[in-house]
Amino acid sequence: MRELWNVSSSPHVRSHEGTKNLMLDVALALLPATAFGVYRFGPYALCLILVSVGFALLTEYVFEVWTGRENTIMDGSALVTGLLLGLNLPPYVPLWIAMLGSIFAVLVVKQLFGGIGQNIMNPAMAARCFLLISFAGYMNDFPVLDGMSSVTPLTAMRNGEAVDLAAMFTGLTNGTIGEISTLAILLGALYLLIKKVIDWVIPVTYLGTFAVFMLIFGGHGADPYYLAAQLCGGGLMIGAWFMATDYTTSPITEKGRVVYGILLGVLTGIYRLWGASAGGVSYALIFCNLLVPLIERVTIPKPFGWEGQKNG
């Protein structure tokens, strides 16, 4: 009689790193962008971030108490959701926008789908899209700051206006609280890479595909200044490094991560060039989130070995 081996279900390799540690690392990585956004836009921006985080935590706590579920506010996932949403808000929107967005992110997108690890879209990005659709006037209102235009660099480029690439890289420009400084975002991304919280595949594939798309269809040829401005503009950098790499809503297969990054790059390019607004990262992310199960199904590696024993 042939010997049979009993193999337990995955995971077969376990790590001492838990959800709390990972979420703390993400929150720490967002500190440079947070600090610069508050420095740039002032105390009210800090209030928006605190309200966004506070209502994300409060919504999670109240819902879990009400439904009798295990309390999970200490795992840091609601903290990161609130922080990401706050950083993706214009710096002077009413506080109730932040409140409503956090409630929607945690209650509708996260908890009603079963809690952490079961949501089908990134909660912060889904909430931002909800706010963009429902309150477009508030979410696209950027005030005049330090004598500069009230439009974002992406809108300026779409209108054929010149932009200051150095200001976009450092953050001396207009935009949402956390997206303006490419330098601050890259510092946080470097921290996550060093800590091995994320890998480079999805962000680099995303950014590379987007750059190629803009090179072909952007109408400026191989103009390095234009390509660099497109990469630094809007929420592309914070989206690529902090939202596209979300464990729950990104593929786990190697080929799937490449396909996911390519789709994100193409969709973001389409939205930027021909969409109703000059951005497009948020919509591209949540649409690709919905495609993740299909991406994983077609890219899962086939097991090596026999599928079963014939003739008994």
Side-chain angles (χ1 to χ4, degrees):
M1 182 176 180
R2 188 172 64 182
E3 184 177 7
L4 298 177
W5 294 90
N6 181 24
V7 180
S8 63
S9 63
S10 60
H12 305 296
V13 179
R14 300 182 184 273
S15 170
H16 295 294
E17 294 291 334
T19 301
K20 184 176 181 179
N21 302 95
L22 294 174
M23 294 297 106
L24 178 60
D25 280 331
V26 174
L28 289 174
L30 286 168
L31 283 180
T34 304
F36 189 86
V38 172
Y39 162 76
R40 177 67 176 153
F41 298 116
Y44 188 79
L46 177 60
C47 290
L48 277 171
I49 294 170
L50 293 177
V51 168
S52 182
V53 171
F55 269 80
L57 293 170
L58 180 63
T59 302
E60 181 142 310
Y61 176 78
V62 171
F63 181 83
E64 289 174 339
V65 169
W66 180 52
T67 56
R69 295 184 183 180
E70 179 185 359
N71 187 275
T72 59
I73 63 169
M74 296 304 294
D75 66 13
S77 59
L79 166 68
V80 170
T81 294
L83 182 55
L84 282 171
L85 177 61
L87 293 176
N88 278 278
L89 294 176
Y92 300 111
V93 296
L95 293 177
W96 61 264
I97 290 282
M99 297 177 192
L100 184 60
S102 288
I103 293 171
F104 182 88
V106 174
L107 178 61
V108 177
V109 186
K110 181 183 177 185
Q111 291 295 347
L112 291 185
F113 281 94
I116 185 172
Q118 300 187 63
N119 46 281
I120 61 173
M121 293 181 287
N122 182 283
M125 284 296 92
R128 183 168 191 265
C129 289
F130 162 71
L131 294 174
L132 281 168
I133 294 170
S134 304
F135 310 102
Y138 287 117
M139 293 296 291
N140 292 291
D141 183 21
F142 296 94
V144 176
L145 190 66
D146 298 337
M148 69 169 51
S149 171
S150 61
V151 301
T152 64
L154 282 184
T155 302
M157 283 191 287
R158 201 173 200 186
N159 295 336
E161 302 172 15
V163 294
D164 187 340
L165 179 57
M168 294 175 67
F169 183 77
T170 57
L172 300 178
T173 185
N174 229 334
T176 66
I177 298 170
E179 75 179 18
I180 55 173
S181 176
T182 300
L183 176 60
I185 294 168
L186 290 178
L187 287 175
L190 180 61
Y191 173 81
L192 293 181
L193 289 169
I194 291 173
K195 293 281 289 185
K196 297 183 178 180
V197 175
I198 63 172
D199 66 27
W200 59 269
V201 175
I202 291 175
V204 172
T205 306
Y206 182 4
L207 296 172
T209 302
F210 174 78
V212 172
F213 187 93
M214 298 305 291
L215 178 68
I216 298 172
F217 299 105
H220 291 259
D223 182 353
Y225 193 94
Y226 174 78
L227 290 176
Q230 284 287 349
L231 287 168
C232 292
L236 182 59
M237 283 295 173
I238 195 170
W241 295 103
F242 288 94
M243 267 81 85
T245 54
D246 175 36
Y247 287 179
T248 304
T249 55
S250 62
I252 60 174
T253 61
E254 292 184 10
K255 292 181 181 177
R257 292 198 292 269
V258 174
V259 172
Y260 183 66
I262 292 172
L263 287 174
L264 281 169
V266 171
L267 281 176
T268 302
I270 290 172
Y271 283 132
R272 279 205 180 175
L273 292 179
W274 301 295
S277 65
V281 173
S282 301
Y283 296 115
L285 275 166
I286 63 169
F287 184 79
C288 288
N289 288 164
L290 297 175
L291 295 178
V292 166
L294 177 61
I295 293 172
E296 289 184 334
R297 177 175 294 183
V298 299
T299 59
I300 189 169
K302 291 181 172 59
F304 178 78
W306 292 337
E307 291 185 359
Q309 183 178 357
K310 295 182 178 179
N311 301 324

